[in-house]
Amino acid sequence: MFGRLFGKRPRGAEAAASGPARSGAALASIGARQAETLLRRLEWTVVRRLDGLLQGDYRTLFRGFGLDLADLREYRPGDDVRHIDWNVTARLQTPHVREFQEDRDLSAWFVLDLSGSVEFGSGAVRKRDLLSDFTTVMALLLTRYGNRIGAVLYGGASDAEASMIPPRSGRRQLLHLLDRMHATPAVCPGETRLRDLLERARAVAKRRSVMFVVSDFISAPGWQTSLAMLARRHEVVAVRLVDPLEMALPDLGLVVLQDAESGEQMFIDTHDPAFRKRFAAVAQNREAELRLAFARAGVECLTLSTYAPIDLALLQFMRERRFRQGADRGAPVGAT
């Protein structure tokens, strides 16, 4: 999306990039300190609220995938057709699917879009800050119970190939992920090709895993098919990063906007109500297209806003997910 060309003081990684040249060792030390500081802040502000909701004594909200047969039940719309037991189906004349004993551990991948549009934020929080906070919180909750985490990081169109961090467990892996995430260039010129990121994730994730695709989904067309292909093998959660200014423009008068990825600049009159109406209509159409794409791919979507606390959004998403899982198993509403 567009970012306003106002003079702002560089912060975080931008401040480091705009300052004097530093040695590689010094930059690595700064990245490690940033990761540790972020980790400690989120442990106190978010993780303690969420701990216990993702994990239970015997079952996790994002479940592992076992191989031992546990039970058979009738097929329901949305079930994986690969789990149909054709012998039982032929005998009973009703489609039945196999249910497997769940493993207690899982592998989780963070598929991270770090392209130029993610740098945008109309307030104190950028979409990249949301991405960093979400990845830190989920990775911390998963690794503390022995689960493995990996990542695929995409910096933009100039990336020849998205970089990959193999899945491992432990706090050192978490800090390594955060350090690599902060070290990835904030802005790479050129249009985002989300399809390349999704295809890279599909190629490197050999074992059935949970995939968190974290992006604002502002991309060249064609990524919808790749997302659906990824969801056929893995449990995919689309984590969408949004900013209210991308949905509706306020009356700011004459402003200059710049595309965060192409660098194109435009001089517009936001005082014109017809222009603001057209902008809102385009944003609403894009919302409808995204909802349709996620529904067709069979992917759940968690929306994070730069103007809303991340812990409240996660809590609401987890409650809704528990409700859906309980309904799928025939459990009474509110059962855990």
Side-chain angles (χ1 to χ4, degrees):
M1 288 297 290
F2 292 101
R4 297 185 63 184
L5 293 181
F6 285 171
K8 292 184 179 179
R9 181 180 301 172
R11 56 183 175 179
E14 298 170 346
S18 62
R22 293 181 177 145
S23 66
L27 289 175
S29 176
I30 290 172
R33 287 201 301 270
Q34 286 180 340
E36 190 69 40
T37 301
L38 176 65
L39 197 57
R40 290 177 179 174
R41 175 175 65 82
L42 291 174
E43 276 183 320
W44 283 100
T45 58
V46 179
V47 172
R48 290 176 181 269
R49 278 194 79 182
L50 299 177
D51 200 11
L53 293 178
L54 267 182
Q55 313 287 343
D57 291 334
Y58 302 101
R59 177 172 290 173
T60 61
L61 183 61
F62 298 99
R63 300 186 299 277
F65 308 96
L67 298 176
D68 298 330
L69 181 65
D71 198 3
L72 291 166
R73 62 168 174 80
E74 287 192 18
Y75 174 88
R76 290 195 292 265
D79 288 338
D80 193 334
V81 295
R82 293 173 297 181
H83 295 163
I84 294 178
D85 189 312
W86 296 107
N87 292 330
V88 175
T89 298
R91 200 160 52 242
L92 300 180
Q93 299 299 308
T94 303
H96 278 68
V97 295
R98 299 175 180 176
E99 288 188 324
F100 297 93
Q101 186 68 37
E102 298 166 358
D103 294 333
R104 295 190 189 180
D105 67 323
L106 58 86
S107 294
W109 287 83
F110 294 92
V111 184
L112 305 178
D113 173 14
L114 299 170
S115 58
S117 61
V118 178
E119 279 294 305
F120 177 71
S122 60
V125 178
R126 301 170 301 164
K127 289 188 286 185
R128 185 171 178 125
D129 298 330
L130 280 181
L131 179 146
S132 178
D133 287 358
F134 171 81
T135 303
T136 303
V137 168
M138 292 303 302
L140 183 58
L141 287 169
L142 289 166
T143 54
R144 68 167 49 185
Y145 292 95
N147 299 306
R148 300 184 302 164
I149 59 169
V152 182
L153 300 95
Y154 174 78
S158 63
D159 268 2
E161 190 175 63
S163 59
M164 187 266 290
I165 301 176
R168 294 187 179 89
S169 60
R171 187 179 180 89
R172 176 174 291 184
Q173 172 74 349
L174 171 57
L175 291 172
H176 175 57
L177 167 59
L178 298 182
D179 186 46
R180 285 281 297 276
M181 187 170 58
H182 291 157
T184 301
V187 178
C188 292
E191 188 178 27
T192 298
R193 294 192 294 266
L194 193 57
R195 180 172 179 251
D196 295 348
L197 172 61
L198 297 173
E199 290 296 331
R200 172 68 168 158
R202 193 156 66 97
V204 299
K206 304 299 183 183
R207 177 184 176 185
R208 181 166 166 80
S209 309
V210 176
M211 292 274 188
F212 297 102
V213 181
V214 190
S215 173
D216 55 8
F217 294 92
I218 298 175
S219 167
W223 58 267
Q224 295 88 344
T225 301
S226 298
L227 182 66
M229 293 292 291
L230 188 68
R232 288 185 181 181
R233 178 172 179 79
H234 306 281
E235 182 179 0
V236 178
V237 178
V239 183
R240 188 177 166 222
L241 312 171
V242 300
D243 187 277
L245 204 60
E246 296 172 334
M247 301 301 301
L249 282 177
D251 185 355
L252 301 173
L254 297 173
V255 295
V256 178
L257 302 181
Q258 176 175 310
D259 190 293
E261 297 185 344
S262 68
E264 178 186 0
Q265 296 183 6
M266 298 179 67
F267 187 72
I268 64 171
D269 181 11
T270 59
H271 186 64
D272 182 2
F275 176 81
R276 297 201 307 273
K277 185 176 180 180
R278 291 196 303 271
F279 184 92
V282 171
Q284 290 175 1
N285 290 338
R286 181 172 177 272
E287 284 290 305
E289 291 174 359
L290 283 175
R291 286 195 295 268
L292 182 60
F294 294 144
R296 285 178 173 174
V299 169
E300 293 182 276
C301 179
L302 164 63
T303 300
L304 300 178
S305 171
T306 57
Y307 277 68
I310 186 175
D311 55 341
L312 297 182
L314 286 170
L315 285 168
Q316 180 64 25
F317 176 77
M318 291 170 190
R319 291 191 185 107
E320 292 175 355
R321 189 178 177 90
R322 283 190 185 277
F323 178 86
R324 286 191 294 268
Q325 289 182 354
D328 289 343
R329 297 191 184 101
V333 175
T336 57

